[in-house]
């Protein structure tokens, strides 16, 4: 099950956290993985090294999703391999603050990376997936996009936006064999959440029936499922992996 041999996958934000775990998990199922990074080249190479050491296949590529130039870079990867089967759009940033203190620059940056970046990446990937009449696009949304969170108005807007993007692209490209889904993780132990205070952590854990923070590997397991042949009848869906925090 979930055999990804001969598949080529691009993971944006692949050098860390959920992207890193997804890259490793996809490669473990046989995919050749392009580990995308914006500035963390050494970290991306470490991920590719972990994959190679486990007998998998990987390369790294600079994929800064904050500019539409990322489309050219993804198109070049697809051309070089003659295919691009899987896109995992994991690149993301969080900048928190109450609305009245929200700076325009932060607002714009959140939209540029989290929302526009995922759309640019999807556009480039879908172009080559259409030719093959097969594709799997997986966008990293968030529980915060569904529930909202005080201090995360802009972040939540980008993550809710991705759900609309997934549903729209799912409708546009289902007839071409391309599925587009979102994953909405709850709170996951990565660099993004490591900055939380003990008090914030406690507040979150009180709201999670499973009673713990999730791991990047638990999100990556959902990525592998949605990337698989077996998930061909799942599209426009948001897969919640949140320990029951929101259901
Ligand atoms: P992370 O900070 O560990 O990793 C994010 C990655 O995105 C990093 O590798 C970073 O370099 C990269 N990135 C940032 N700006 C970029 C750009 N302009 N171009 C390309 N890459 C860029 O975060 P994470 O926790 O692994 O988050 C991955 C995704 O999952 C994000 O979209 C995040 O919003 C989402 N998410 C995370 C959590 C969580 O609890 N950690 C919960 C819900 C959703």
């Amino acid at each position: 099950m979930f055999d990804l041999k001969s598949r080529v996958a691009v993971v944006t934000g692949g050098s860390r956290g959920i992207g890193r775990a997804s890259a490793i998990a996809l490669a473990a199922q046989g995919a050749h993985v392009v580990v995308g990074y914006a500035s963390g080249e050494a970290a991306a190479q470490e991920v590719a090294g972990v994959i190679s050491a486990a007998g998998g296949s990987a390369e790294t590529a600079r994929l800064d999703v904050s500019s539409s130039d990322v489309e050219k870079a993804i198109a070049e990867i697809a051309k070089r391999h003659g295919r691009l089967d899987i896109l995992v759009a994991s690149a993301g940033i969080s900048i928190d603050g109450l609305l009245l203190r929200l700076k325009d620059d932060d607002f714009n940056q959140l939209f540029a990376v989290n929302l526009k970046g995922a759309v640019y990446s999807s556009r480039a990937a879908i172009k080559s997936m259409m030719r093959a009449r097969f594709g799997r696009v997986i966008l990293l949304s968030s529980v915060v996009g569904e529930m909202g969170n005080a201090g995360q108005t802009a972040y939540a807007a980008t993550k809710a936006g991705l759900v609309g993007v997934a549903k729209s692209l799912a409708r546009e490209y289902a007839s071409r064999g391309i599925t587009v889904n979102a994953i909405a993780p709850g709170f996951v132990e990565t660099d993004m959440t490591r900055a939380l205070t003990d008090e914030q952590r406690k507040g979150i854990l009180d709201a999670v029936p499973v009673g713990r923070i999730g791991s990047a590997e638990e999100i990556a397991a959902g990525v592998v499922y949605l990337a698989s042949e077996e998930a061909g009848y799942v599209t426009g869906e948001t897969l919640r992996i949140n320990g029951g925090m929101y259901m």
Side-chain angles (χ1 to χ4, degrees):
M1 247 187 154
F2 307 155
D3 182 359
L4 300 179
K5 273 187 212 84
S6 87
R7 300 285 185 214
V8 173
V10 165
V11 181
T12 69
S15 65
R16 267 192 0 217
I18 291 168
R20 179 184 190 275
S22 299
I24 292 170
L26 290 168
Q29 298 307 116
H32 172 77
V33 178
V34 181
V35 182
Y37 63 89
S39 55
E41 183 174 3
Q45 274 165 1
E46 183 268 340
V47 177
V50 168
I51 290 171
S52 302
S57 172
E59 65 186 81
T60 62
R62 186 163 187 279
L63 298 175
D64 182 343
V65 306
S66 66
S67 144
S68 64
D69 289 351
V70 72
E71 295 194 56
K72 276 187 232 128
I74 291 176
E76 192 275 321
I77 290 164
K79 191 168 168 217
R80 190 155 39 81
H81 288 282
R83 63 191 301 155
L84 173 52
D85 306 285
I86 300 162
L87 169 71
V88 182
S90 189
I93 55 171
S94 65
I95 308 171
D96 300 343
L98 298 175
L99 177 68
L100 300 190
R101 292 196 204 129
L102 181 64
K103 296 190 189 82
D104 272 7
D105 279 355
D106 293 346
F107 190 61
N108 290 335
Q109 186 63 9
L110 278 163
F111 272 81
V113 176
N114 293 4
L115 190 55
K116 289 172 78 177
V119 172
Y120 292 146
S121 306
S122 299
R123 186 159 61 186
I126 286 173
K127 239 179 230 166
S128 92
M129 290 170 176
M130 275 174 66
R131 284 192 285 276
R133 301 190 77 82
F134 177 90
R136 298 283 185 261
V137 176
I138 300 152
L139 309 175
L140 266 299
S141 177
S142 168
V143 67
V144 164
E146 297 191 288
M147 290 180 73
N149 194 21
Q152 290 198 304
T153 297
Y155 178 80
T158 66
K159 294 298 169 180
L162 289 176
V163 171
V165 169
K167 288 181 181 179
S168 301
L169 295 181
R171 289 185 189 278
E172 275 185 39
Y173 300 104
S175 65
R176 307 296 187 112
I178 300 168
T179 66
V180 185
N181 292 286
I183 293 184
F187 280 84
V188 179
E189 192 70 59
T190 68
D191 290 343
M192 199 176 263
T193 47
R194 228 154 262 149
L196 293 172
T197 63
D198 285 348
E199 197 188 340
Q200 284 169 319
R201 243 164 222 274
K202 189 178 173 310
I204 290 163
L205 288 185
D206 286 347
V208 178
V210 167
R212 61 175 176 81
I213 286 192
S215 71
E217 289 70 26
E218 287 171 312
I219 310 305
V223 168
V224 167
Y225 168 62
L226 291 174
S228 71
E229 189 91 45
E230 287 84 347
Y233 206 57
V234 181
T235 197
E237 191 51 67
T238 299
L239 176 59
R240 295 178 183 137
I241 308 180
N242 62 22
M245 184 177 180
Y246 181 78
M247 31 176 128

